[in-house]
Amino acid sequence: MNFTEVMRTSGGQASWSPDGRFCAVPVTARLEVRESASLQVVVTFNCIDIVQNIEWSPDSCYILTCNYKRAVSEVWSIEDPDWRCKIDDGVAGLVKVCWAPDSRHVLTTAEFYLRVTVWSLISKSVSYIKHPKNIATCLQFSPDHEYLAVAERRECKDCISIVATKSWQLVKHFEVATRDLAGIIWARDGSVLIIWESPLEYKVLIYTLTGHCLSAYSAYQWALGVKGMAWSPSGQFLAIGSYDQKVRLMNHITWRVITEFHHSSSIDSESCNIYKEVEKPLTGYPATLASVQGLPLVLETSYEEEETRPVTLASVIVEPSKQTQPRMGVGTLSFSNDNRYLASRNDNMPATIWIWSIPKLALKAVLVHVNPVKDFAWDSQQPRLAICTGTSHVYFWSPFGCLTVAVPGAPTLQISSLRWNPGSSRVALMSRDQFSVCFLDGYLPKEDSQDSSQVEISEPSPLEKLPTGTCLEDIPTTAQLEERYNSKRTKKGLTNPLSYFF
């Protein structure tokens, strides 16, 4: 496991290209494109103003930067650094920008969601889509990239328009049975659209592209409803997170719920592993020195497994009647790349991550942290979950166990978001104005790196290669692994003791 040194960024942004070859990093009004393996700067672009958002084209040949205050977007070419395109929305303003699947059209959304403008980079033509609804998922491209679904609000009614992406002409328009549509999402095969109601009512609707409603689901009434959704990579299951602290798993054949995952504050199951983060604070003079220098007062953290049952988790008491957007319920869901695990966070217990086994339809593990979880994401190569809590530590979980790792030489790095590289086991750890990259794929940086050195973790790790055929029940405890590792470290001469775990 290797870490780069901490580098500058703006707005907590660092974006991998879809093919995994490059990493785009904005620094004020400058955009740096780095090679993903060595993080050396390949090309630098000077933008018109501070970069507030960056978007890679699906083919990784172009990158888009935008400044919302100026309502200006700029497109840059990786293959031809001298080529540049400027898109000015003028007085209409700019609130959102995205690429079309063909990587040759850019879609911009005007202020107050008055219209969506489609800009062609080839013919320089312009098309307009009127009446988009003011929701985060008002524009959704089909998995085969043939159609664009647009959520609209016309004459106080919710509608869906299907637009062909080749001609940008309207193909189908139909009304939906919602009072206040909150989101749309395509099925993995592109055959249907899933639509859900605002939190004031629990309603999930399944529509065909012809406007026919195949199914309607409502778990309960007279309470806050759907908060989040996520499709499994295989398209077999749809996970629905709700304000009642439950996740409902729906199948794609009959569109019926097959199970419910309860996020209870008391866990008495013996079949799941519960890990709690334990901090080892500084004491004495080092604590005083760290306090004066403004450094964290925590020396290290680690996971400790809870053996006793039941285990009671800290929960936040929320009064929905006194908050416009109450922090409660399950709103963040994510499936692993192999479809075997589902990670979720219940906002009533913001410091806890729940991991569910899809084959067994049961709770697999619970990770309890000291600080609220800021972000978590699955590795695209294998079932490995990375978690950050706004500190200089990054947390990893895999079916073999979990551990915490501190970014070396960066005690003030407050990791608030993370992004996995699509083509390798590398994760970008980002704070508001800094970022670092953690390499887990065995890459060893060259010693003659020009712009940024990389350091390798040298502190002891409690993890060691497990024998072939080891069952979960046979895995030693953390203390046993640590003792065994310390006694055999010099004999084995391990350079990367975490390689098997990861």
Side-chain angles (χ1 to χ4, degrees):
M1 179 185 292
N2 303 296
F3 286 87
T4 66
E5 67 179 14
V6 176
M7 293 170 283
R8 289 182 58 197
T9 184
S10 297
Q13 300 182 80
S15 178
W16 301 104
S17 61
D19 60 5
R21 294 174 52 204
F22 302 104
C23 180
V25 182
V27 182
T28 59
R30 186 176 74 254
L31 179 66
E32 298 177 348
V33 178
R34 298 174 178 265
E35 201 271 330
S36 64
S38 62
L39 287 200
Q40 296 183 12
V41 176
V42 177
V43 62
T44 301
F45 300 109
N46 294 316
C47 305
I48 192 173
D49 205 335
I50 296 176
V51 179
Q52 295 181 292
N53 188 31
I54 54 177
E55 292 281 347
W56 280 95
S57 63
D59 62 359
S60 301
C61 293
Y62 300 93
I63 186 169
L64 184 148
T65 62
C66 68
N67 182 277
Y68 297 116
K69 182 180 294 186
R70 287 176 173 258
V72 172
S73 304
E74 296 175 284
V75 182
W76 312 90
S77 173
I78 304 300
E79 299 175 351
D80 184 10
D82 295 329
W83 183 88
R84 172 177 175 265
C85 173
K86 178 182 176 182
I87 300 174
D88 192 345
D89 283 85
V91 295
L94 179 67
V95 296
K96 186 186 298 185
V97 61
C98 67
W99 284 96
D102 62 357
S103 301
R104 298 300 180 267
H105 292 82
V106 176
L107 282 71
T108 60
T109 304
E111 286 185 342
F112 308 107
Y113 284 75
L114 296 178
R115 69 185 183 191
V116 174
T117 307
V118 183
W119 307 82
S120 174
L121 302 183
I122 300 176
S123 63
K124 298 182 181 180
S125 61
V126 178
S127 303
Y128 297 101
I129 301 174
K130 297 182 179 180
H131 312 295
K133 188 164 185 179
N134 186 2
I135 57 176
T137 59
C138 67
L139 302 176
Q140 292 291 303
F141 289 97
S142 62
D144 60 3
H145 305 157
E146 293 292 330
Y147 301 103
L148 168 66
V150 183
E152 301 178 352
R153 185 74 173 178
R154 297 187 180 185
E155 298 179 356
C156 300
K157 295 181 180 180
D158 291 327
C159 308
I160 297 294
S161 290
I162 307 297
V163 179
T165 56
K166 291 184 179 180
S167 61
W168 300 105
Q169 297 296 319
L170 180 65
V171 175
K172 184 67 176 179
H173 176 81
F174 56 90
E175 296 182 1
V176 294
T178 57
R179 297 181 181 178
D180 185 10
L181 187 149
I184 58 175
I185 186 173
W186 286 87
R188 289 293 184 179
D189 59 0
S191 60
V192 296
L193 282 168
I194 291 84
I195 301 171
W196 63 95
E197 184 66 88
S198 69
L200 296 179
E201 182 180 358
Y202 198 114
K203 181 186 289 187
V204 178
L205 303 172
I206 315 297
Y207 275 89
T208 64
L209 302 189
T210 60
H212 176 65
C213 184
L214 289 179
S215 177
Y217 173 73
S218 178
Y220 51 82
Q221 295 180 345
W222 317 117
L224 295 178
V226 177
K227 189 170 185 179
M229 283 194 183
W231 271 107
S232 64
S234 65
Q236 295 175 298
F237 303 105
L238 175 65
I240 306 174
S242 309
Y243 280 90
D244 64 345
Q245 307 182 46
K246 295 180 182 179
V247 173
R248 292 168 175 85
L249 210 61
M250 180 181 290
N251 74 84
H252 75 299
I253 299 177
T254 62
W255 301 110
R256 295 183 181 274
V257 173
I258 58 177
T259 189
E260 295 182 355
F261 295 146
H262 299 258
H263 295 68
S264 176
S265 59
S266 179
I267 304 175
D268 54 6
S269 174
E270 298 287 346
S271 60
C272 70
N273 299 320
I274 302 177
Y275 302 96
K276 284 190 175 183
E277 180 188 3
V278 178
E279 294 184 340
K280 183 179 180 182
L282 293 173
T283 57
Y285 177 74
T288 304
L289 183 62
S291 178
V292 172
Q293 296 179 351
L295 299 177
L297 300 180
V298 177
L299 179 61
E300 62 181 17
T301 67
S302 62
Y303 280 122
E304 290 188 359
E305 185 173 359
E306 287 286 341
E307 301 291 347
T308 60
R309 295 293 188 276
V311 175
T312 302
L313 306 178
S315 180
V316 178
I317 300 176
V318 181
E319 296 183 10
S321 60
K322 296 183 179 181
Q323 299 179 10
T324 56
Q325 294 182 346
R327 295 184 178 181
M328 58 182 292
V330 183
T332 309
L333 305 163
S334 180
F335 281 91
S336 62
N337 65 314
D338 60 355
N339 300 281
R340 296 183 61 86
Y341 302 103
L342 171 66
S344 61
R345 185 187 66 185
N346 180 11
D347 291 343
N348 291 75
M349 293 167 271
T352 304
I353 293 295
W354 306 70
I355 301 174
W356 309 87
S357 173
I358 300 303
K360 297 181 179 179
L361 298 179
L363 184 62
K364 174 69 175 180
V366 179
L367 309 178
V368 185
H369 305 88
V370 175
N371 301 300
V373 173
K374 299 293 184 181
D375 193 14
F376 63 90
W378 289 98
D379 187 353
S380 61
Q381 305 300 310
Q382 54 183 297
R384 173 174 52 208
L385 185 69
I387 307 167
C388 63
T389 62
T391 65
S392 60
H393 290 77
V394 59
Y395 308 82
F396 294 100
W397 178 91
S398 80
F400 296 102
C402 56
L403 85 163
T404 67
V405 181
V407 179
T412 60
L413 179 65
Q414 298 178 347
I415 306 171
S416 58
S417 62
L418 42 85
R419 297 291 183 273
W420 285 98
N421 186 298
S424 62
S425 293
R426 302 164 188 170
V427 57
L429 313 172
M430 295 164 286
S431 67
R432 185 178 62 178
D433 54 2
Q434 294 176 322
F435 85 101
S436 178
V437 177
C438 176
F439 291 78
L440 300 167
D441 51 6
Y443 170 79
L444 295 178
K446 298 180 181 179
E447 295 181 358
D448 57 350
S449 179
Q450 296 179 359
D451 76 309
S452 63
S453 60
Q454 298 183 358
V455 293
E456 181 176 354
I457 291 182
S458 58
E459 66 249 26
S461 169
L463 299 172
E464 177 182 316
K465 183 174 180 179
L466 300 175
T468 304
T470 301
C471 299
L472 291 177
E473 292 78 5
D474 300 329
I475 296 179
T477 62
T478 303
Q480 292 173 338
L481 283 175
E482 185 174 3
E483 182 180 358
R484 187 186 308 172
Y485 175 81
N486 292 333
S487 64
K488 296 182 180 181
R489 181 187 177 194
T490 55
K491 295 181 182 180
K492 289 189 175 183
L494 295 175
T495 59
N496 191 3
L498 304 174
S499 60
Y500 181 82
F501 179 78
F502 293 105

